Amino acid sequence: MTPTRSASDIDHFHASHLIPEEPQIHESAQGPRVAPAAGRTAPTPRPVPGPRSAATPRPGRPVPGPARPAPPAQRTHPAPAAPVRAKQPENRSAPQLQLVPASVGGALDAAEETVDLLLESGRAPGDILLLTTGDQHPWTEHELSFGEAAYWAQQDASDDVFFADAAAVDRTKPRPVVVVAVNGDDHGAVVRSLPVARDRATALLVVCGDPKTVNSVLGASV
């Protein structure tokens, strides 16, 4: 015979078994969701590296190394270049020749000093072409890094001293004064470049180098 339960026994059974389970289910379902949500929002803000990226491009394009080509004060009066060019047909084959004795290692310095003296004496920067038979002048290396078109365009502008490798002397244009630095040991380069350099000079050719080497190429006229 099944025992009969009173109303108080049934209430006691619900209180001890069914009621505690409901809050436990709700707490376990809600608890884990709240904790990760709070955890994810914490690392969200990150510093933006704006100031560093803005500072990096500041160096920009470097200024050509040598300060000798075209001081600003002298660039303002390139007028003497025009009359000299007009006389090119007369003087092209017979420029005045000068030799500045210098070793291979000192030829470039001697050539730069010669350019300085020419500018101080009143020559316009656009009147002067400087050629090197050995290592390129730092100005040449720097300007060629921006492309040959931009480099040779400066020769066409004729408003500044132009530096070139003697290997490219055939691409140079006549100027009143040509200064050659014999700063390399390649005798063949000197033999090839000096006669063309003399042809490019419409008024004056200055060669800085070993006198024996220069005389062997250009003869006793130096």
Side-chain angles (χ1 to χ4, degrees):
M1 183 173 177
T2 305
T4 304
R5 294 182 179 177
S6 64
S8 61
D9 292 336
I10 293 172
D11 293 340
H12 177 73
F13 175 80
H14 283 294
S16 60
H17 289 82
L18 297 179
I19 295 175
E21 290 180 0
E22 293 180 1
Q24 288 176 1
I25 292 172
H26 288 297
E27 289 176 0
S28 61
Q30 294 176 358
R33 288 178 188 159
V34 175
R40 288 193 191 104
T41 55
T44 304
R46 291 184 180 178
V48 180
R52 290 195 191 106
S53 61
T56 40
R58 276 194 182 176
R61 174 171 168 171
V63 178
R68 294 181 176 87
Q74 296 181 4
R75 287 188 185 181
T76 55
H77 45 77
V84 175
R85 284 197 200 111
K87 297 179 182 179
Q88 283 179 12
E90 302 175 14
N91 302 331
R92 192 178 180 104
S93 59
Q96 180 184 353
L97 304 179
Q98 293 182 6
L99 172 62
V100 178
S103 63
V104 171
L108 185 56
D109 288 339
E112 290 182 331
E113 290 174 5
T114 300
V115 171
D116 286 342
L117 291 172
L118 289 166
L119 294 174
E120 291 172 5
S121 68
R123 277 287 179 185
D127 285 355
I128 304 171
L129 167 66
L130 191 153
L131 300 172
T132 54
T133 64
D135 293 337
Q136 291 181 338
H137 191 282
W139 186 93
T140 306
E141 294 179 350
H142 177 266
E143 294 302 314
L144 280 173
S145 67
F146 300 104
E148 288 202 5
Y151 167 72
W152 289 106
Q154 296 186 60
Q155 175 184 229
D156 297 335
S158 298
D159 59 357
D160 205 346
V161 178
F162 189 72
F163 298 79
D165 191 330
V169 67
D170 291 332
R171 294 189 62 178
T172 60
K173 294 182 177 181
R175 287 199 176 192
V177 182
V178 176
V179 181
V180 181
V182 184
N183 63 329
D185 294 321
D186 186 355
H187 185 71
V190 179
V191 172
R192 289 188 302 271
S193 60
L194 282 187
V196 183
R198 179 171 54 186
D199 183 60
R200 294 294 185 270
T202 62
L204 175 65
L205 171 65
V206 183
V207 184
C208 304
D210 176 60
K212 291 182 179 179
T213 301
V214 176
N215 281 318
S216 67
V217 177
L218 294 179
S221 57
V222 179

